[in-house]
Amino acid sequence: MPSSPLAPGLPPLAPPSTAAALVIGNELLSGKVEEANVHVLARTLRGLGVELRRVVVILDEIDEIAREVAALSASHDWLFTSGGVGPTHDDVTVEGVAKAFGVRAVEHPLLAKMLRDHYKERCTEGHLRMALVPEGATLEASEEIRWPTIRFKNVWLMPGVPEIFRMKLPVVASHIGTGTRFVSRAVFTKMDEGDLKPLLDSIVENFPDVGVGSYPKWHDTTYRTKLTFDGRDEARVDEARDAFVALLPEGEPQRTE
Amino acid sequence: MPSSPLAPGLPPLAPPSTAAALVIGNELLSGKVEEANVHVLARTLRGLGVELRRVVVILDEIDEIAREVAALSASHDWLFTSGGVGPTHDDVTVEGVAKAFGVRAVEHPLLAKMLRDHYKERCTEGHLRMALVPEGATLEASEEIRWPTIRFKNVWLMPGVPEIFRMKLPVVASHIGTGTRFVSRAVFTKMDEGDLKPLLDSIVENFPDVGVGSYPKWHDTTYRTKLTFDGRDEARVDEARDAFVALLPEGEPQRTE
């Protein structure tokens, strides 16, 4: 096995798994509801060493969902859909995912039984729509979360309701958490981005394996710009941060993390 | 002019203008920063009668930005980019937009002058990166907001910092607000979506010109499901809501808006 050019003698880190999110819901694009799942998904994936590379938000339209699911699932290791899995006319995610892969949406016997047991004599055709899955889907569950999550190949069909979305993340994590996690360091300074640019450029050039970010803060008395250093090789991330701090003038930084 | 099939005698409403948003920033996809501009953009556009149809969030990569800008600006009336317009190495939106249209990124004399006047002898090459625009871009400003917003054809280059993004929205509104605005009504009930489905289906069938949404609420003692009715023809929206309310059993709805 070749050694890493950046850390001689050590085997190179395998590239991270990649992920995309497809967020479905007219209510988000009309501004009626504020999206609340992407941020928590991003943080969860980060902790698992999975790189979230793209998020797409679209309307409740089957053909549009099918097109995006086909494209995003082919170009990423994992795809997470959020929303559109309830019983009403605007819940068309299952049909969209099925169409993306050219299979039918069919009633899953276990989900149908769970719905009938739960709603008993009140169970309607509407409730049973929640038993539909793309034909061939698997159900993922854990001891803590009885209600399973639908997975079809590399696509996880997550609910849009934020409280339920969060409840399901541990099940996701138990299946996909195999990579080296990302670490992140930060430096806070009172310098502005225009003055920081040449210093940052030298770090970016010397540490191509570390992601360097620069974020100005509006209205904060303790600092003006936050610099971040990210990667999966902790020693290299620390080295990049320390090299940057060494370039700062006297009186800086305000603090580091 | 043909009359509307839905409101005989009245001319049909022109279809709404469409918009997309392209949100650029590694910090959003890594979960380091929570996205805060899409929701306010969505609400602003809604009030202007413009339909936001798609949001895409991507990394700070020029080629990726160029690809998305080319596709989204061709398929929508307006495109708003958010982020990547500062002075550092990860601010590559101007270059990405320029590349999408096959033009160069050039220094705009007015922006360069404003930056030099502001930073005076402290003005660096880094600061002057903020004077770059896609060649042929226009600068949009208003009396209230001295610092202009870069527009190239139908693409508005908005800043990622939420406070500045919000400050710039009135300038956008003064240029694109020509359509009939959307109106929205809501009905709150204690029924669940499974039971509501047949009632909703009948409204969806009879009011194809009204958008009908159904949103379950988790942990609320005053209602279980919120139904929404949206459109640009206020009378039709009210009619759809009232027709739905008439289908509800005794004791419902809990309230309407």
Side-chain angles (χ1 to χ4, degrees), chain A residues 46-183:
Chain A
R46 196 78 177 169
L48 296 168
V50 177
E51 191 182 18
L52 181 64
R53 291 188 61 85
R54 173 178 291 254
V55 176
V56 181
V57 188
I58 58 173
L59 299 167
D60 304 311
E61 293 175 2
I62 292 180
D63 289 340
E64 193 71 5
I65 296 170
R67 249 195 312 276
E68 285 294 336
V69 166
L72 294 172
S73 68
S75 52
H76 299 80
D77 294 319
W78 299 105
L79 170 62
F80 299 87
T81 69
S82 168
V85 294
T88 57
H89 64 284
D90 53 354
D91 292 310
V92 292
T93 300
V94 168
E95 288 91 335
V97 173
K99 190 164 186 175
F101 291 100
V103 302
R104 295 180 307 153
V106 297
E107 188 175 289
H108 194 291
L110 175 60
L111 289 179
K113 180 177 184 311
M114 290 178 78
L115 287 162
R116 284 201 184 90
D117 288 349
H118 179 77
Y119 288 105
K120 301 209 168 65
E121 68 285 353
R122 288 186 45 245
C123 190
T124 65
E125 185 203 339
H127 295 125
L128 285 174
R129 266 181 60 78
M130 288 189 287
L132 288 179
V133 301
E135 191 164 22
T138 54
L139 301 181
E140 309 291 357
S142 71
E143 296 252 325
E144 298 78 40
I145 303 150
R146 213 175 63 95
W147 192 263
T149 301
I150 302 167
R151 171 151 80 103
F152 187 80
K153 299 182 189 280
N154 66 340
V155 184
W156 292 80
L157 285 76
M158 304 283 281
V161 177
E163 292 87 346
I164 314 182
F165 187 96
R166 278 156 183 70
M167 281 168 50
K168 300 220 168 189
L169 285 173
V171 180
V172 171
S174 71
H175 280 80
I176 75 172
T178 55
T180 308
R181 68 191 299 274
F182 286 87
V183 294

